[in-house]
Amino acid sequence: MTPTDNADRWRLPYIDLPAPEEMAVWDRAASADFGLREEILMENASREALHVLHAELAVTVAGFDANTGASITRSTPRPASSPFSFTGLRVLLFMGGGNNGGDAAALARHLHDAGAEVLVLHTRPLGGYRGAAGYHVRLAKRCGVAFRPAGAWPRSLPDPRWLAPRVVVDGLLGTGFTGALREREAALVAAINELSERAFVLALDIPSGLGGLTGRPRPVAVRAHATVTFEAAKPGLVLPEAAPYTGRLHVRPIGIPHAVRRQHPASYRMPDDTCLTALPATTPCMHKGTAGHVLVVGGSEGLTGAPLLAGLGALRGGAGLVTVACPGGLAAEVKAATPDVMTLPLGERRAWDPAALPGLLALAARCNALVIGPGMGRSPEAAEVLSALLALPGRPPAVIDADGLFPLAEGLVSLDLVRETDIVTPHPGEMARLAGLTTADVQRGRAATARAFAARCAGVLVLKGAGSLVTRRDRPITIIPLAAPTLAVAGSGDVLSGLAGTLLAQGAPPEVAACLAAYLHAKAGQLLLHDYPARGNTPREIADAIPRARKEHLPCC
């Protein structure tokens, strides 16, 4: 099989996630290069928002009935005999001073024409709206939409009944918002959130106050029941931490030509839901030698469980053979824990012995993938073993994790030994050590930290966490838009490293192996939520859930 054939076999479907500034480029290019007027794009966006709002309100939303305001306990379809109508629906729209406000004005016109009772609260004098937003404000006024200054909430309302709208639309701030909310904006966000307790809240493009890149509030954000974002989701919207603010996320096209995407590629992306179909199919003729041999190098005094969990992750991922190489004095402990993995005792000591390197290097050269570091310890001898493995000529691809990252961070082993075929899998604390930052710094700027490290390291980086990031030098950042509290347990990362090792051993390119491993690992964690809704699962159970998570997607002959 040629490298091209292998790349085609493992090609993953991705969804573009333009950064806010890249989305602005798409909008400008659609207008400047293709003649699509901004007014048309805004009209398209408002029509899509109307469709989303109708779809959301056409069913009884959990905790709220859109027409009656009655409190309910679960979601149930609206009877076919009483289809949803906007007629008489009281809708309060908050209109900011930018294009997001223009979307709100255009949506207000559609709602008004559909029979809703509409009031728009604007933060800028109506005469101050320019461009496409100004056009839609003027058009909505001519059509009879009522506008009032937002002023000091709630004194800006014409009468008390507007304190109890059935629907609230958040059009205050779009994805171009940066910095922190000003006092006036924060007060309006607070007003929307107070209304959300008795009204359905729809956010346009992004909940106001939420970071388009980070998915975090600055410092507060609208908590919407649903968000409609236009043309493509922005990175912050798909991160798990944004979910309490976005509610149900709808991505709707507004007519940006595909040629614009090709000319201005997005710097972020996420795997499509069908990505796991890229996993290799099982065949009746498979045997252990064709399913990949993974060598796990790890273990030290008191840390024999980590390499074992990596080995189980590799086996549950589908490896045919898994060997754990560890100090000889610890091999019996590893083997006693499970007969499913083979062991390679290195010397007779309970610590790493560089004198045993020849046997380790000989086996490493014959395996299909290495997983180096789980429970390895931080001794100088462990660093010597890591250096020798990484420098081995013609060695197989490696996953470097846990204690294998410590010598790289401390300069005891050169980062230049990490090859393009390797995967590096730090959690935020390990990433902080590698980058010379604090863990808090890493978490505040995960994407920037990942890009900076990828510029220094030839391998693929997996920055673990809720919404793991996968990237390599000069490549987009892939966001794994999944999380599960069941994964927040020591040993979970060891299982992930073994799973990634299996995919490398089965021929997946390193970036694909990293994305698929992180995605499948998160899916396994989500499966465990059924039996462990309050957590309490073990990392072994994460490994055991991998085949179940894979079952629904793996093509079989």
Side-chain angles (χ1 to χ4, degrees):
M1 179 180 290
T2 67
T4 301
D5 291 337
N6 188 52
D8 289 340
R9 170 194 168 195
W10 289 97
R11 192 178 302 278
L12 294 187
Y14 292 107
I15 297 172
D16 290 335
L17 300 172
E21 62 271 18
E22 292 168 341
M23 189 68 232
V25 170
W26 285 10
D27 285 337
R28 288 195 296 269
S31 297
D33 301 339
F34 292 88
L36 271 173
R37 293 177 61 87
E38 193 175 7
E39 291 87 346
I40 295 175
L41 296 176
M42 195 169 285
E43 176 73 6
N44 292 348
S46 65
R47 295 294 300 182
E48 291 299 328
L50 182 74
H51 297 155
V52 166
L53 186 58
H54 187 278
E56 284 282 349
L57 299 183
V59 297
T60 303
V61 182
F64 168 78
D65 182 274
N67 275 350
T68 69
S71 177
I72 58 173
T73 57
R74 61 187 179 88
S75 297
T76 53
R78 183 177 301 280
S81 59
S82 58
F84 172 77
S85 170
F86 285 119
T87 301
L89 194 72
R90 190 179 304 129
V91 183
L92 183 63
L93 299 98
F94 288 78
M95 184 176 77
N99 281 351
N100 196 241
D103 295 334
L107 174 58
R109 171 170 54 87
H110 298 313
L111 288 166
H112 173 79
D113 289 346
E117 185 180 4
V118 174
L119 175 64
V120 180
L121 299 181
H122 53 93
T123 61
R124 170 183 288 187
L126 291 184
Y129 286 88
R130 298 286 184 265
Y135 167 84
H136 281 287
V137 167
R138 293 189 295 273
L139 179 56
K141 283 189 67 179
R142 286 197 297 271
C143 290
V145 173
F147 288 83
R148 286 184 69 91
W153 175 268
R155 293 194 299 274
S156 52
L157 296 176
D159 59 69
R161 64 197 178 95
W162 283 105
L163 284 170
R166 292 288 181 261
V167 175
V168 174
V169 174
D170 167 28
L172 285 174
L173 298 168
T175 56
F177 163 67
T178 58
L181 284 174
R182 292 173 295 185
E183 184 177 354
R184 183 186 181 193
E185 295 164 336
L188 292 176
V189 166
I192 294 173
N193 286 338
E194 182 181 357
L195 290 169
S196 72
E197 297 176 5
R198 53 191 180 275
F200 181 85
V201 177
L202 175 70
L204 300 180
D205 212 14
I206 190 170
S208 293
L210 197 69
L213 271 181
T214 66
R216 298 192 190 100
R218 297 177 171 178
V220 294
V222 166
R223 291 181 176 269
H225 295 100
T227 297
V228 53
T229 194
F230 305 122
E231 195 60 39
K234 290 70 188 176
L237 289 173
V238 304
L239 289 169
E241 58 202 297
Y245 302 94
T246 63
R248 289 171 294 279
L249 180 64
H250 301 261
V251 182
R252 292 300 181 95
I254 60 172
I256 302 288
H258 194 71
V260 170
R261 293 173 177 248
R262 292 196 302 268
Q263 293 171 8
H264 305 279
S267 57
Y268 297 81
R269 62 188 184 181
M270 68 178 180
D272 184 90
D273 285 341
T274 63
C275 68
L276 294 184
T277 59
L279 292 166
T282 58
T283 68
C285 300
M286 288 183 73
H287 58 81
K288 62 185 179 182
T290 60
H293 187 175
V294 178
L295 175 61
V296 178
V297 183
S300 59
E301 191 74 57
L303 295 173
T304 54
L308 173 63
L309 289 170
L312 289 176
L315 283 172
R316 291 304 194 187
L321 295 163
V322 175
T323 301
V324 173
C326 60
L330 302 175
E333 294 179 23
V334 174
K335 191 68 175 176
T338 178
D340 304 304
V341 299
M342 299 180 291
T343 56
L344 175 66
L346 298 173
E348 298 180 358
R349 298 167 48 194
R350 294 177 65 84
W352 290 97
D353 184 358
L357 269 172
L360 174 61
L361 298 180
L363 179 58
R366 299 196 302 271
C367 290
N368 303 112
L370 310 177
V371 177
I372 312 173
M376 197 172 187
R378 299 181 176 183
S379 67
E381 293 79 9
E384 188 175 342
V385 169
L386 172 68
S387 181
L389 280 169
L390 295 183
L392 179 66
R395 66 163 171 83
V399 179
I400 308 166
D401 185 38
D403 288 337
L405 301 171
F406 179 79
L408 297 174
E410 295 298 302
L412 304 173
V413 175
S414 174
L415 200 60
D416 293 338
L417 292 176
V418 179
R419 303 175 187 175
E420 292 183 353
T421 53
D422 298 333
I423 302 172
V424 181
T425 58
H427 59 55
E430 292 161 343
M431 186 75 256
R433 188 181 291 274
L434 285 163
L437 302 170
T438 66
T439 303
D441 289 335
V442 170
Q443 292 296 77
R444 275 192 297 267
R446 285 171 59 83
T449 303
R451 286 195 195 282
F453 181 78
R456 298 167 45 216
C457 178
V460 172
L461 170 69
V462 180
L463 176 51
K464 296 183 289 194
S468 294
L469 305 182
V470 180
T471 192
R472 71 181 314 156
R473 187 179 299 163
D474 300 324
R475 296 286 288 164
I477 289 179
T478 301
I479 298 174
I480 308 300
L482 305 172
T486 48
L487 299 177
V489 58
S492 174
D494 300 316
V495 173
L496 172 63
S497 66
L499 176 56
T502 286
L503 291 167
L504 287 177
Q506 294 176 344
E511 192 170 8
V512 173
C515 289
L516 285 176
Y519 199 95
L520 186 55
H521 183 257
K523 284 288 188 182
Q526 290 182 336
L527 271 181
L528 290 175
L529 286 171
H530 180 268
D531 294 327
Y532 301 95
R535 300 180 65 246
N537 60 287
T538 67
R540 182 187 288 265
E541 285 160 332
I542 298 172
D544 291 343
I546 289 172
R548 288 195 288 133
R550 185 173 178 168
K551 178 181 65 174
E552 299 176 5
H553 305 278
L554 179 63
C556 297
C557 293

